[in-house]
Amino acid sequence: MSFIIVLHPDFQYISSIMKALRKIGYFSAFIIPVLTIISFYLGGIANLSTLLFVYLLIPAIDSITGRDLSNVPKASVSEVANDFYYRFITYCWTFFQLTFIAWAAFVFTIHTLSLFEQITFIIAVSLSTGGIGITVAHELGHKKSLLERFYSKVLLMTVSYMHFYIEHNKGHHVRVSTPDDPATSRQNESFYAFWWRSVTRGYKSAWEIENKRLERKGISSFSIHNNMIWFTLLPFIFAGLLSAGFSLYLGYFVWQPIVFFFAQSFFAFSLLEAVNYVEHYGLMRKKIDENRYERVAPHHSWNASQIVSNFFLFQLQRHSDHHFNAIKRYQVLDHYDNAPQLPAGYPTMVLMAHIPQLWFKVMNPRLKKWNELNPGTDNASQ
């Protein structure tokens, strides 16, 4: 009888275990900052550990485990979407990132580090604050809950990119995959050209959107009601408070927290822009008339359903479904077979994006093939 049990396990029980493991999997995001902390105290070459983990080990595991093409059953979507557990993880990350930033700024200030250690540590921190922190901020910023939106703004403050809250929700999601969107990369546009355009025009667009909002309400743009004034000032205030707090604690003035804060912010939002570059490269919506484009659909975003990297990025790589239904929670985002598929997860693609000739060699043939198989798209007209 025991032999039969081994050959015929309780599949329902195994299924429950797999579901539990998948839920726990989203806590894997915390591995990256913990690794950064351990590596810092080991010092020296160990500070490369976080970069190697993100850009070598995760892609390697992705290649072994492959893609998860399954979706939450429709009958279970409501239950899973409303499960507080998934929100709890994002709330935990918000408080963790605030603590992590304060710790990182403090140890950067009081320890004597070589130039190599300073640079690698700053970049390692940004992989958490930018790679995961902005991803969580992005998730929370789309929700109706005022608490979640507040947490989103707090996280964006820690990377000096608070205007993203306005531009992404009210700009990018409206204009995505059109020539009017700063955050949509064009075919044959390098990441570096895209970075400048997205950063500068995205910030300008956020001001324009906010000014129009105030104008509709009859409120002056130069008032305390202008969110962009606050969003611009708050990172400087936060950096100043870090410096003032550590100065009081140490008994002498320290400027290092300010330098560290804005340095990691630069790498953090640059990582966001690299992800933006990957997500919509070369994809364009068809123009219906002089003023309108077709509705946003799953095929207007590159999709990636690699199992492991999606755990670390809260399923951000299922970007096709996110743009199709922006308010949908990360745990119930669907994989779409009829959306263009990236050849690898974001860590690999972000690294590739920094080498334009390699990026074009890999992605242009894939984009061309997609256009040929889907002649109804308007990618050729960009």
Side-chain angles (χ1 to χ4, degrees):
M1 179 63 71
S2 61
F3 180 73
I4 295 176
I5 292 175
V6 171
L7 289 179
H8 300 83
D10 186 339
F11 290 106
Q12 187 175 0
Y13 175 70
I14 292 177
S15 177
S16 298
I17 293 177
M18 292 304 295
K19 288 180 180 178
L21 288 175
R22 288 179 66 85
K23 292 181 74 170
I24 295 172
Y26 291 111
F27 269 107
S28 61
F30 290 87
I31 293 174
I32 295 177
V34 170
L35 181 59
T36 299
I37 293 170
I38 294 171
S39 300
F40 174 82
Y41 288 112
L42 291 175
I45 197 72
N47 281 287
L48 283 174
S49 299
T50 306
L51 283 76
L52 295 175
F53 179 82
V54 170
Y55 291 117
L56 288 181
L57 186 57
I58 292 179
I61 298 174
D62 261 346
S63 66
I64 295 171
T65 56
R67 297 188 299 161
D68 175 17
L69 308 184
S70 64
N71 297 323
V72 176
K74 292 186 183 298
S76 303
V77 167
S78 179
E79 178 187 351
V80 176
N82 292 315
D83 189 341
F84 178 74
Y85 170 85
Y86 296 99
R87 275 174 288 158
F88 176 72
I89 298 174
T90 59
Y91 295 173
C92 285
W93 182 270
T94 303
F95 290 99
F96 177 84
Q97 180 153 316
L98 281 171
T99 306
F100 181 61
I101 280 287
W103 166 83
F106 184 71
V107 297
F108 185 86
T109 299
I110 65 171
H111 285 78
T112 301
L113 306 173
S114 67
L115 181 60
F116 171 81
E117 289 174 322
Q118 289 177 354
I119 294 172
T120 52
F121 179 62
I122 289 171
I123 295 175
V125 169
S126 74
L127 290 176
S128 291
T129 59
I132 302 172
I134 295 180
T135 299
V136 174
H138 166 263
E139 168 71 17
L140 297 173
H142 277 290
K143 302 303 173 281
K144 295 180 179 179
S145 162
L146 292 178
L147 179 63
E148 289 176 286
R149 292 187 177 193
F150 173 73
Y151 286 163
S152 173
K153 294 171 189 175
V154 169
L155 288 169
L156 291 172
M157 179 190 67
T158 64
V159 292
S160 307
Y161 226 55
M162 294 187 76
H163 71 277
F164 177 81
Y165 178 84
I166 295 174
E167 163 56 24
H168 180 81
N169 293 321
K170 298 181 180 179
H172 174 62
H173 269 264
V174 175
R175 302 177 298 213
V176 64
S177 295
T178 73
D180 300 323
D181 180 34
T184 294
S185 52
R186 322 298 192 225
Q187 184 175 356
N188 294 319
E189 179 181 36
S190 73
F191 163 65
Y192 303 101
F194 167 80
W195 181 95
W196 178 255
R197 179 169 57 82
S198 186
V199 170
T200 56
R201 284 185 53 192
Y203 183 73
K204 179 183 176 183
S205 173
W207 273 102
E208 292 171 350
I209 292 169
E210 181 64 5
N211 287 343
K212 287 179 181 177
R213 181 186 74 85
L214 293 172
E215 184 180 348
R216 288 193 298 269
K217 293 185 174 184
I219 302 173
S220 170
S221 298
F222 299 97
S223 73
I224 60 172
H225 300 289
N226 190 323
N227 287 321
M228 278 303 294
I229 293 177
W230 288 107
F231 288 177
T232 301
L233 292 177
L234 280 171
F236 290 95
I237 295 172
F238 182 73
L241 289 174
L242 284 176
S243 180
F246 294 156
S247 295
L248 286 173
Y249 178 76
L250 296 170
Y252 56 90
F253 175 73
V254 289
W255 49 266
Q256 291 92 335
I258 297 175
V259 173
F260 168 81
F261 176 76
F262 287 112
Q264 69 82 29
S265 291
F266 172 82
F267 284 108
F269 70 68
S270 293
L271 181 56
L272 161 68
E273 295 299 351
V275 170
N276 279 338
Y277 178 81
V278 168
E279 288 172 338
H280 304 284
Y281 176 73
L283 300 174
M284 285 287 168
R285 284 152 62 192
K286 186 177 180 180
K287 201 164 188 179
I288 297 175
D289 55 40
E290 193 63 29
N291 301 311
R292 291 187 304 153
Y293 290 88
E294 65 177 322
R295 185 188 174 203
V296 178
H299 63 264
H300 295 126
S301 306
W302 290 95
N303 195 68
S305 287
Q306 278 68 20
I307 299 174
V308 175
S309 49
N310 261 320
F311 276 139
F312 282 90
L313 293 171
F314 296 90
Q315 301 231 96
L316 179 68
Q317 298 177 145
R318 290 191 167 190
H319 208 61
S320 297
D321 195 25
H322 168 67
H323 269 278
F324 190 51
N325 188 353
I327 202 171
K328 201 170 183 180
R329 293 193 178 273
Y330 71 90
Q331 65 268 26
V332 291
L333 289 173
D334 286 334
H335 165 84
Y336 281 90
D337 285 325
N338 62 340
Q341 306 293 320
L342 290 170
Y346 282 8
T348 300
M349 302 311 296
V350 163
L351 204 58
M352 191 185 301
H354 286 79
I355 310 172
Q357 292 308 312
L358 177 60
W359 174 267
F360 297 146
K361 183 177 180 180
V362 172
M363 289 302 296
N364 280 358
R366 189 170 286 260
L367 179 62
K368 181 181 179 182
K369 184 177 180 180
W370 170 260
N371 290 338
E372 290 172 349
L373 294 174
N374 301 271
T377 60
D378 200 35
N379 300 325
S381 67
Q382 61 186 314

